[in-house]
């Protein structure tokens, strides 16, 4: 038996390691009594954090999806404008940057050529740089001005799962840290956000108990050729990553879209052959989040009128969603900004179980490598 232990594949083992990955990434960096965040590898001065006018995030694949979620976190908690770019496109945009900007690169392996290229170009242009890397002493970690290591542990499966959730946790920590430095968060607010982050690993554990439900959904849907994933706001990048997991592990064509955007074209595709997976969680305490969910439910109503099958990711206690979806997988309630750390888990499980049923070599899908070191 190898390191998979009792699991048949690394991918499912790594999905189940997510409570620990998130806990290890947060622990030791926060003081739960005060809500203060300490980021050891961040060798940038407090004055720098106060003066950044803008943040650019460059990353590839799943790491870029984490970056999009990070954009919502940083803008909301620290009030700094954030742009997110494909690392492979970074140079073509002739990035106009300088010492009043921070460029963040996000990477599991720390060796992705496109991401390294973006980091080097940002440095050449005078930007401060910060890397989020899962591999200690990787090239990207060493070349950036500062580094925050995610503590997901080695990720073997080509499809990234636990590294993604750890990246989301690290970006959330960074958002609170920036909020503290720039005083957009009070001490009480920081304490609240940190206590909610620390509650996430147990909530992921509870989502994992829904593995049999995800497996049953896989049994129902594994023969379909196309999937559409939708989400709004901070949940949109989760739709993107759900679609990417489906593509790379199952070889099923899947697209991730912002829920509000499907009226502008993809609606034409909706019929009984295109299952729609919708992130439709609700944070009852947040009026904006409730309104966002309501809009997504309106989309679902129309999708069902057009004959589509709807699989929704909902919040425990929110039965209303069953009127709009054919199947619901529930996750525990969490603040809107942290809910993505839970929502991604059933999507990973669905992709995994579909891949297994389609006979794909899940840990090593065709044509892919774990670390993409060519441009
Ligand atoms: C998808 C996946 C890839 C990587 C991408 C970037 O599951 O694993 O999309 O996220 O190749 O790799 P890193 O994060 O190592 O820079």
């Amino acid at each position: 038996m190898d390191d998979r232990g009792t699991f048949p594949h690394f991918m499912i083992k790594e999905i189940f390691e997510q409570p620990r990955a998130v806990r290890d990434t947060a622990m030791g960096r926060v003081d739960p009594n005060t809500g203060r965040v300490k980021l050891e590898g961040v060798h940038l001065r407090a004055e720098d954090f106060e003066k950044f006018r803008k943040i650019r995030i460059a990353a590839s694949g799943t790491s870029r999806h984490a970056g999009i979620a990070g954009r919502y976190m940083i803008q909301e908690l620290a009030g700094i404008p954030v742009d997110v770019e494909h690392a492979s496109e970074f140079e073509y945009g002739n990035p106009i940057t300088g010492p009043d900007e921070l460029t963040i690169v996000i990477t599991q392996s720390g060796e992705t050529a496109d991401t390294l290229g973006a980091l080097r170009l940002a440095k050449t242009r005078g930007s401060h740089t910060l890397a989020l890397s899962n591999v200690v002493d990787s090239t990207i970690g060493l070349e950036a001005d500062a580094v925050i290591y995610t503590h997901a542990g080695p990720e073997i499966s080509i499809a990234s799962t636990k590294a993604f959730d750890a990246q989301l946790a690290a970006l959330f920590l960074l958002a609170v840290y920036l909020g503290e430095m720039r005083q957009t968060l009070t001490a009480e607010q920081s304490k609240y956000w940190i206590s909610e982050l620390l509650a996430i690993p147990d909530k992921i554990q509870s989502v994992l108990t829904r593995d049999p439900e995800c497996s049953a959904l896989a049994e129902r849907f594994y023969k379909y050729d196309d999937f559409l994933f939708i989400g709004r706001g901070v949940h949109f990048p989760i739709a993107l990553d759900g679609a990417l997991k489906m593509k790379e592990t199952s070889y099923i064509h899947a697209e991730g879209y912002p829920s509000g955007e499907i009226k502008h074209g993809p609606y034409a595709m909706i019929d009984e052959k295109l299952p729609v997976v919708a992130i439709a969680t609700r944070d009852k305490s947040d009026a904006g989040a409730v309104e966002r969910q309501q809009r997504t439910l309106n989309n679902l109503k129309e999708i069902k009128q057009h004959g589509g099958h709807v699989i929704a990711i909902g919040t425990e206690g929110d039965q209303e969603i069953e009127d709009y979806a054919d199947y619901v997988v529930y996750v525990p309630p969490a603040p809107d900004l942290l809910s993505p750390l839970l929502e991604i888990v059933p999507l990973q499980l669905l992709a995994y179980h579909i891949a297994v049923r389609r006979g794909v070599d899940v840990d090593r899908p065709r044509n892919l490598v774990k670390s993409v070191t060519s441009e």
Side-chain angles (χ1 to χ4, degrees), residues 21 48 50 64 85 111 232 260 289 303 311-312 349 364:
D48 294 324
E50 280 155 26
R64 188 182 67 95
E85 296 178 47
E111 305 295 343
R232 274 175 197 267
I303 290 170
I311 302 166
L349 289 169
R364 281 181 302 272

Side-chain angles (χ1 to χ4, degrees), residues 59-65 106-113 115 132 140 155 157-161 163 167 241 244-245 248-249 368-372:
S60 308
T62 284
S63 295
R64 188 182 67 95
H65 299 156
I106 306 172
T107 171
Q108 187 287 127
S109 61
E111 305 295 343
T112 302
T115 310
L132 260 68
I140 290 176
E155 194 177 61
S157 162
I158 286 189
S160 184
T161 55
Q167 288 167 343
D241 210 57
L244 180 58
K245 289 297 95 97
E248 66 181 330
T249 63
L368 299 177
V369 290
K370 184 65 183 158
S371 179
V372 185

Side-chain angles (χ1 to χ4, degrees), residues 11-12 15-16 18 161 207-215 218 245 329 344-355 357:
M11 182 177 174
I12 187 75
I15 291 172
F16 272 77
Q18 290 181 109
T161 55
V207 182
L208 290 168
T209 64
R210 299 196 180 269
D211 183 39
E213 290 170 43
C214 298
S215 180
K245 289 297 95 97
V329 182
I344 190 60
V345 178
L347 305 192
Q348 295 165 342
L349 289 169
L350 183 64
Y352 169 77
H353 288 297
I354 288 185
R357 279 170 177 76

